[in-house]
Amino acid sequence: MYNSPMNDQQLENLLLPRFLNYVRYDTQSNSHIAETPSTPGQWELAKVLYKELLDLGIKDVKITGHCYVIARLPPSPGREKEPCIGFLAHLDTAGDVSGKDVKPQLVKNYNGSKIELADGICLDPEKEPDLAAQKGKTIIHSDGTTLLGADNKAGIAEIMAAVEYLVSNPQISHGEIEIIFTPDEETGKGLPEFPMSEIKSAYCYTVDGGAIGEIESECFNAYKAEIEFLGKVIHVGHARGILANATLMASTFAAMLPRSESPEATDGYYGYYCPMEISGNLEKASLEIFLRDFDIHGMERRISALETFAKTTEAQFPGGRVIVKTQVQYYNMKAKIDEKPDVLKRLIQASHNAGIECRLKSVRGGTDGSRLTELGIPTPNIFTGGRNFHSRMEWVSVNEMCAACRVIIGLIRGE
């Protein structure tokens, strides 16, 4: 096997310009828009990636009608019969914090002190051991007015850097490689339009995780509940004994959600209820709730609890109605990946060969890999080096980005 003289400086030169460019594209997805992609900025970045792949000399590249970028590197001579391996990252960023006009701050030789951001926000190494560990290294953070976009543009940059490295070193032998960039991952609705008939990967890896060495092969079962509240309206001056206020019904329902089972009160394998959005008036209101649980029986308990809360709310507001609708967003990928353990073994071995001490971690969330695994392509998740995702305090370690890139290249080489 070819022993490449790969080093982090080479990889950093490939990674940094790409990442600093990608984060400037406003690709926030919008859960209120049904189309895929939900926002035009995702098309802009997809076209940039399409052109970059073509400029690297890759001939098999396309963008589908729903903004999926798919590219393939042909296998090296003698490795044509090996199964195709895929790498996947998503184009969009979360809508929780603004992703417009991102101003990435590149800090070389970080001195280990507090970093003051806009609006009184700061990155404090005393509160973040992972940040303290970056002393003397290079990090990138937002200016505090927006998120950074490392979720998932760090993953895109790492995949693209690995691709350029392979193209620049044709002597490195590998099987067929498939590159996939997807829209609308953050809203949980990008995969319904996924072009399964066009995908050749026998197995795949999302590059969408956090700290160095973290490998994720299990995640939440995820449901979304949409609760509709139908009130009974009359002039508020004559409301006694008649009015059923839909807005108050919605807030009463939300207050029944157990605070001990909220995102801010749980970690590890504990699931939660999370009210995401509430709106309404006297006549009609709505409440969107995310339900998360690693165990499907726990999810059934949560759905049953919502039905109980609905009946309790109706009892408190005579004449009002509460309608509960739930839908699956994704399932825990663990069972499917366990059926094909070699996929995870390859990742662990590639990490070990890259000098990285890896550890299995459960995802308190999900990735496109969760859905892809469900569709029959086992897809564990690789770290990217990012932290504090979806927030103005988001930052990424360039050293760890390089490490992720080494793992990707090792998987491709079959180390």
Side-chain angles (χ1 to χ4, degrees):
M1 183 178 293
Y2 173 75
N3 186 17
S4 165
M6 174 175 54
N7 61 61
D8 276 6
Q9 189 58 58
Q10 284 179 293
L11 298 178
E12 184 174 322
N13 292 341
L14 299 176
L15 281 164
L16 266 185
R18 284 193 164 88
F19 179 73
L20 294 174
N21 180 41
Y22 298 159
V23 297
R24 297 181 193 278
Y25 288 86
D26 180 6
T27 61
Q28 283 187 284
S29 47
N30 187 335
S31 62
H32 297 288
I33 296 177
E35 290 81 7
T36 302
S38 61
T39 52
Q42 296 182 72
W43 275 116
E44 293 179 25
L45 181 55
K47 291 173 183 177
V48 168
L49 295 169
Y50 173 80
K51 184 178 185 302
E52 285 187 12
L53 289 161
L54 287 176
D55 289 346
L56 288 173
I58 299 172
K59 298 178 181 179
D60 189 357
V61 189
K62 71 177 296 183
I63 305 179
T64 75
H66 288 287
C67 201
Y68 293 86
V69 181
I70 304 170
R72 295 185 191 90
L73 281 70
S76 302
R79 300 187 67 173
E80 295 86 353
K81 294 184 179 180
E82 293 183 15
C84 180
I85 176 175
F87 294 90
L88 182 151
H90 60 88
L91 300 164
D92 64 321
T93 57
D96 306 302
V97 174
S98 174
K100 185 178 181 180
D101 297 326
V102 172
K103 300 176 180 63
Q105 307 294 303
L106 178 65
V107 180
K108 295 186 176 182
N109 193 25
Y110 168 53
N111 63 13
S113 64
K114 286 184 181 181
I115 300 174
E116 300 293 337
L117 307 179
D119 301 325
I121 301 170
C122 79
L123 296 175
D124 188 348
E126 291 188 8
K127 297 179 180 179
E128 290 192 61
D130 283 4
L131 179 60
Q134 302 304 316
K135 185 175 182 180
K137 300 176 183 177
T138 300
I139 63 171
I140 306 170
H141 60 82
S142 79
D143 69 347
T145 62
T146 68
L147 49 67
L148 175 62
D151 181 11
N152 188 220
K153 290 165 184 173
I156 294 175
E158 288 154 9
I159 292 171
M160 289 295 294
V163 170
E164 181 171 357
Y165 184 84
L166 289 170
V167 169
S168 302
N169 291 275
Q171 69 273 38
I172 299 177
S173 175
H174 59 79
E176 186 173 22
I177 307 303
E178 194 162 54
I179 306 303
I180 307 165
F181 300 125
T182 63
D184 287 334
E185 188 267 0
E186 295 291 0
T187 65
K189 63 181 180 64
L191 264 290
E193 303 293 348
F194 191 77
M196 282 294 292
S197 62
E198 300 186 28
I199 301 303
K200 297 178 67 175
S201 297
Y203 55 96
C204 194
Y205 298 93
T206 45
V207 188
D208 192 15
I212 185 170
E214 291 181 354
I215 293 172
E216 298 159 329
S217 61
E218 60 179 318
C219 62
F220 277 134
N221 294 294
Y223 278 63
K224 178 174 71 172
E226 295 179 342
I227 321 295
E228 186 177 7
F229 302 86
L230 304 177
K232 183 179 178 181
V233 180
I234 193 169
H235 189 291
V236 292
H238 305 281
R240 182 178 173 85
I242 301 173
L243 175 66
N245 185 332
T247 297
L248 187 55
M249 290 168 66
S251 59
T252 299
F253 187 106
M256 292 182 191
L257 300 174
R259 291 297 307 280
S260 61
E261 296 182 52
S262 64
E264 61 270 29
T266 56
D267 57 12
Y269 282 90
Y270 291 97
Y272 58 77
Y273 305 83
C274 183
M276 300 296 291
E277 188 169 303
I278 187 169
S279 63
N281 52 37
L282 288 178
E283 185 176 39
K284 182 183 286 188
S286 62
L287 173 63
E288 181 182 87
I289 302 172
F290 279 7
L291 308 176
R292 300 292 186 262
D293 207 296
F294 284 96
D295 182 76
I296 197 63
H297 298 297
M299 180 60 69
E300 292 168 356
R301 174 183 67 81
R302 295 181 191 283
I303 293 172
S304 178
L306 295 186
E307 296 288 354
T308 300
F309 300 157
K311 292 176 182 177
T312 303
T313 302
E314 286 180 340
Q316 293 183 53
F317 295 85
R321 292 179 56 211
V322 182
I323 301 168
V324 178
K325 297 178 181 178
T326 60
Q327 66 181 73
V328 178
Q329 293 178 300
Y330 52 84
Y331 288 112
N332 189 341
M333 59 186 171
K334 185 179 188 305
K336 293 289 186 180
I337 290 179
D338 284 349
E339 292 174 4
K340 298 181 179 180
D342 188 54
V343 175
L344 196 54
K345 288 180 181 178
R346 290 172 183 263
L347 178 51
I348 293 171
Q349 186 62 53
S351 300
H352 176 77
N353 291 345
I356 298 164
E357 182 179 345
C358 62
R359 56 198 179 280
L360 293 177
K361 182 176 179 290
S362 58
V363 188
R364 286 185 60 80
T367 68
D368 277 340
S370 311
R371 294 297 304 277
L372 202 55
T373 299
E374 183 184 333
L375 293 171
I377 303 175
T379 310
N381 194 29
I382 302 172
F383 64 90
T384 63
R387 310 291 201 286
N388 300 338
F389 294 144
H390 298 198
S391 82
R392 298 183 183 198
M393 298 183 293
E394 188 179 9
W395 61 271
V396 66
S397 161
V398 173
N399 174 264
E400 294 182 15
M401 291 179 72
C402 293
C405 201
R406 292 201 310 272
V407 171
I408 293 168
I409 293 169
L411 281 164
I412 290 171
R413 290 170 58 180
E415 293 181 340

